[in-house]
Amino acid sequence: MALCDHDVVLFAPDRARERETGVTDVFDYYGVVPNFSIEYGPWPAFRGRGYWYGWQAARSVCRLDPDLVYGRNLASACFAATMGLPVIFEAHSPIENEGRVARYLFRRLIGSSHFMFLVVITDALRQEYERRWPQLSGRVVVAPDGADPLAPEIRARDLGSSASRLQVGYVGHLYKGKGAETVVELARLCPQFDFHIVGGTASDLCNWQNRTDLPDNLQLHGHQPHGAVQAFLMSFDAVLLPNAPTVKARGGKTDIGQWTSPLKLFEYMAASRAIVCSDVPVLQEIAEDGVNMLVCRHDDLLDWVSALNRLRSDTTLRRALGAEARLQLESRYSWQVRAQGLLDRAEAFGRKTGTEFSR
C-alpha cells in the first residue's frame, strides 16, 4: 500500500518484537522496503489480552484519524468500526475456527455501517463465508497471497552440490500436511537428484536432525531470515509444493488445507523456478498444469518422480514453466498489484457510499 503512494502505519503487539530477538533491523530481516512506520503496543500477561490489545490498538488508530483501516486483527477491526472508522477486514480461515467471542465480534463488525468488505485468500474461502454469512454476499473479495518480484541483484546460494545434478528445493514448515515427509520419500526414490529443505521451527528441526532414516541426498538448512530465502530459491532447479488436503496448523488444532494460499507458492513463482505442485483443489485456483507449473496427484509418489525426471530431461520446459510463473506473479500476484486492487475496491466503495479517500 505504501508503494501505491499512500501513507501507511502498521500496528503490532510488543510480542511480535520480542520474537525477533537479535534482529537489529526488522525491515532488512524480512526484506521489506522501509516505506512505512511501525507502532508497537503493549501485550499484557492477563487472560483476554488479545481483545484488550485490539481495543488499545483501535484507540491509537483512531487518534490518527485515518482514511482507511485495513487489517487481520478482528478485535481491532471491530473496535475501529465502532469508533466510526472505515474498515476492511482480511481473513485466512473461517471465523468459526476462532471461537464464540470471535463470532460475536465478527457479527458486530459486518453489521456496522463502517464495515466496507471482507478480503479472503481463496475462492473456496469466499464461498464458505457467503454460505455461513449470507449478509456478506457480494461483499467478499478474493485476493490470493503474493510475493515481491525478486530484485535483479539476488544471486544463487552456493549449495556445495554438483551442477550436473538436479537441485530440488522445499521451503516452509515441517508440520503435518505441508509435505516435508513427501520430500523425504522423493529423495529416497530419486538418488540421482539433490533435495533441500529450508525452514522449520527450532524444535521440529532438532527432531528431524536426530532422525536416522534421512537419505544422504537430502540437506536440512533450517530456518532462514525471509530476506535470505530468495538466494536459496535461486539455487534450485525445481521446487516442491506437496501440500496434502489436510494441513494442521496451530499445533494440530486447525485444518487450513481447504483454504490455504501458501506464501511459498508465490515466492517460487517470483524466483522463476519450475514448480511441482499437488492437486489439492484450493491450489488449483492458481496452478495451471503444464502452463505455470506441473500438477501431481498428492498421494502418488511415482507421479512426482515422473514430473522431476521430466524436468531434468527437458530444460526447455523447465525454463518455460519458470518464466510463465514469474510473468503471472508480476502481473497478478505481486504484493503491489494486490494492494492496488484492494485500494481501487475501497475507493469505488467510498464513491458509492459518499466516503472520500485522500493520498
Side-chain angles (χ1 to χ4, degrees):
M1 291 183 174
L3 287 172
C4 296
D5 199 28
H6 293 273
D7 295 325
V8 178
V9 181
L10 171 66
F11 286 81
D14 268 340
R15 65 172 184 161
R17 185 161 49 185
E18 290 168 4
R19 284 200 297 264
E20 293 149 3
T21 304
V23 176
T24 55
D25 185 334
V26 67
F27 293 98
D28 181 64
Y29 180 83
Y30 286 105
V32 173
V33 177
N35 56 4
F36 60 94
S37 60
I38 304 176
E39 298 285 342
Y40 289 100
W43 185 258
F46 54 77
R47 188 177 180 183
R49 56 188 174 270
Y51 303 115
W52 183 89
Y53 167 78
W55 170 252
Q56 295 298 326
R59 290 179 62 190
S60 298
V61 170
C62 196
R63 285 193 286 270
L64 289 179
D65 190 27
D67 299 299
L68 176 66
V69 176
Y70 186 102
R72 289 181 55 191
N73 185 292
L74 175 58
S76 298
C78 180
F79 295 138
T82 301
M83 295 173 188
L85 298 174
V87 173
I88 298 172
F89 179 61
E90 179 170 334
H92 289 195
S93 62
I95 208 67
E96 283 72 21
N97 293 350
E98 309 300 323
R100 180 173 53 85
V101 175
R103 289 194 296 273
Y104 168 77
L105 290 174
F106 186 70
R107 188 177 297 109
R108 287 284 304 271
L109 171 63
I110 65 176
S112 168
S113 60
H114 300 287
F115 169 72
M116 300 180 74
F117 52 84
L118 174 69
V119 176
V120 297
I121 52 175
T122 59
D123 192 62
L125 191 53
R126 175 194 64 80
Q127 294 179 48
E128 179 70 4
Y129 267 100
E130 292 188 348
R131 181 181 71 82
R132 289 181 176 268
W133 305 86
Q135 63 269 47
L136 283 174
S137 180
R139 296 181 71 181
V140 185
V141 177
V142 179
D145 274 329
D148 288 320
L150 258 63
E153 63 269 18
I154 299 294
R155 293 292 177 264
R157 184 185 180 97
D158 183 4
L159 299 174
S161 303
S162 171
S164 64
R165 292 168 63 86
L166 193 74
Q167 303 300 311
V168 184
Y170 166 88
V171 175
H173 284 288
L174 305 179
Y175 55 73
K176 189 174 181 180
K178 283 290 189 177
E181 287 292 351
T182 297
V183 181
V184 175
E185 294 302 320
L186 286 173
R188 288 199 188 99
L189 292 170
C190 301
Q192 71 275 30
F193 305 147
D194 291 330
F195 290 79
H196 305 266
I197 293 179
V198 179
T201 64
S203 60
D204 285 341
L205 186 62
C206 182
N207 291 335
W208 276 60
Q209 288 171 333
N210 289 331
R211 292 173 56 168
T212 59
D213 64 333
L214 298 182
D216 293 337
N217 61 331
L218 173 65
Q219 292 186 50
L220 302 178
H221 298 278
H223 173 76
Q224 301 290 328
H226 188 269
V229 170
Q230 296 172 337
F232 275 97
L233 291 175
M234 294 299 289
S235 68
F236 301 144
D237 299 304
V239 285
L240 303 175
L241 186 61
N243 276 35
T246 298
V247 178
K248 292 292 188 180
R250 299 184 183 179
K253 296 179 180 178
T254 304
D255 176 18
I256 62 171
Q258 300 176 73
W259 328 113
T260 185
S261 179
L263 285 171
K264 68 166 149 293
L265 171 58
F266 303 98
E267 290 171 351
Y268 289 171
M269 295 172 77
S272 302
R273 300 301 92 177
I275 303 165
V276 186
C277 173
S278 68
D279 62 352
V280 173
V282 73
L283 299 181
Q284 294 190 70
E285 293 184 19
I286 307 297
E288 301 173 78
D289 186 35
V291 178
N292 59 0
M293 59 195 75
L294 298 181
V295 178
C296 294
R297 293 184 293 277
H298 69 274
D299 55 355
D300 186 347
L301 280 171
L302 294 182
D303 199 21
W304 292 76
V305 172
S306 175
L308 290 176
N309 281 322
R310 185 180 173 193
L311 292 176
R312 176 67 183 90
S313 61
D314 191 343
T315 55
T316 300
L317 173 65
R318 201 164 74 218
R319 290 169 184 157
L321 291 173
E324 178 61 23
R326 175 157 183 151
L327 179 64
Q328 290 190 14
L329 182 282
E330 293 177 346
S331 62
R332 304 180 194 176
Y333 305 119
S334 76
W335 288 127
Q336 187 171 353
V337 168
R338 184 186 201 266
Q340 188 60 63
L342 293 173
L343 289 167
D344 289 345
R345 289 275 192 142
E347 292 193 0
F349 187 93
R351 288 192 297 270
K352 183 177 178 180
T353 58
T355 305
E356 293 296 327
F357 294 91
S358 59
R359 293 206 170 206

